[in-house]
Amino acid sequence: MPVEEFVAGWISGALGLVLGHPFDTVKVRLQTQTTYQGIVDCMVKIYRHESAYFLAPFDLIKVRLQNQTEPRAQLGGSSPQYRGPMHCAASIFQKEGPRGLFRGAWALTLRDTPTVGIYFVTYEVLCRQCTPERQNPSSATVLVAGGFAGITSWVAATPLDVIKSRMQMDGLKRRAYQGMLDCMVSSVQQEGLGVFFRGVTINSARAFPVNAVTFLSYEYLLRWWG
């Protein structure tokens, strides 16, 4: 059922993105900025000063918009650097060239390639362990397996996720890194090895509900289409 699986995957993925986007914004802020005291402080400041949600098709634009701390334009006040996804993309292209739009692409590729395998293997193993033979997994099993699959994959992905976010923000004001390896070395020298797991808590908090909902909706849509 390739068509049904595609549609089910698209719908469940969209639900996961909608649910996880606020957590993703907090995660990116914590990874790339040092003005917050923790997860709660970051959430409160974003809610108080911005109250905005950004939808962008590209990860780079998403990260740039999420790191934009200026409030929405007000009469007599300063305007934010980016007015939206299209303006953000155009500004990056104008100031940084075509390569600027692909900043952090290698880190993104290296982050996602192994973690996709970890993600689905974890889900399948947990479902099989908790489900009797020749039966479909229960809703509770799908929720738990999907949630823990998300946590496992994000714990593995967080080190490169930190580097990706920093590479994507590099060039906004000045070039701080010569490349991905230089970003890794500089980050460790300045902040220690713990920098690679900055944001892992918010990643995990986001991963469980997002992926639980994603897998549950996917499984139910497939069963509904028969």
Side-chain angles (χ1 to χ4, degrees), residues 21-22 25 47 50-55 72:
H21 188 75
T25 299
Y47 179 78
E50 300 163 57
S51 299
Y53 294 95
F54 303 108
L55 296 175
R72 289 179 177 178

Side-chain angles (χ1 to χ4, degrees), residues 28-198:
V28 170
R29 292 283 180 90
L30 290 173
Q31 288 178 338
T32 60
Q33 300 183 24
T34 58
T35 57
Y36 304 110
Q37 301 301 315
I39 295 172
V40 175
D41 180 57
C42 183
M43 288 180 172
V44 170
K45 286 181 178 177
I46 290 173
Y47 179 78
R48 283 181 179 175
H49 301 299
E50 300 163 57
S51 299
Y53 294 95
F54 303 108
L55 296 175
F58 304 106
D59 195 68
L60 170 66
I61 297 171
K62 172 184 71 71
V63 169
R64 290 284 179 94
L65 290 174
Q66 286 174 329
N67 270 287
Q68 183 167 266
T69 57
E70 299 92 345
R72 289 179 177 178
Q74 298 177 354
L75 186 63
S78 59
S79 300
Q81 182 172 3
Y82 303 122
R83 296 192 296 270
M86 295 302 296
H87 181 252
C88 180
S91 298
I92 293 172
F93 186 85
Q94 183 179 14
K95 295 177 181 179
E96 303 173 45
R99 293 183 63 183
L101 292 171
F102 295 93
R103 196 178 300 280
W106 273 113
L108 178 63
T109 302
L110 292 173
R111 183 199 74 176
D112 288 351
T113 302
T115 53
V116 168
I118 295 171
Y119 179 63
F120 286 106
V121 167
T122 303
Y123 175 74
E124 288 293 333
V125 169
L126 289 175
C127 279
R128 290 180 182 179
Q129 291 292 325
C130 300
T131 305
E133 289 187 15
R134 299 179 182 178
Q135 292 187 22
N136 291 323
S138 65
S139 297
T141 297
V142 171
L143 286 170
V144 172
F148 277 106
I151 290 176
T152 303
S153 62
W154 267 111
V155 168
T158 296
L160 280 169
D161 190 54
V162 173
I163 300 303
K164 174 197 71 70
S165 296
R166 293 189 170 201
M167 291 290 295
Q168 289 173 329
M169 289 303 297
D170 191 36
L172 183 62
K173 296 181 179 179
R174 63 182 180 84
R175 289 294 303 275
Y177 309 117
Q178 300 302 314
M180 188 171 67
L181 183 60
D182 180 55
C183 180
M184 290 180 177
V185 173
S186 298
S187 297
V188 171
Q189 288 177 341
Q190 295 173 16
E191 303 169 61
L193 289 173
V195 69
F196 288 129
F197 290 95
R198 182 170 295 173

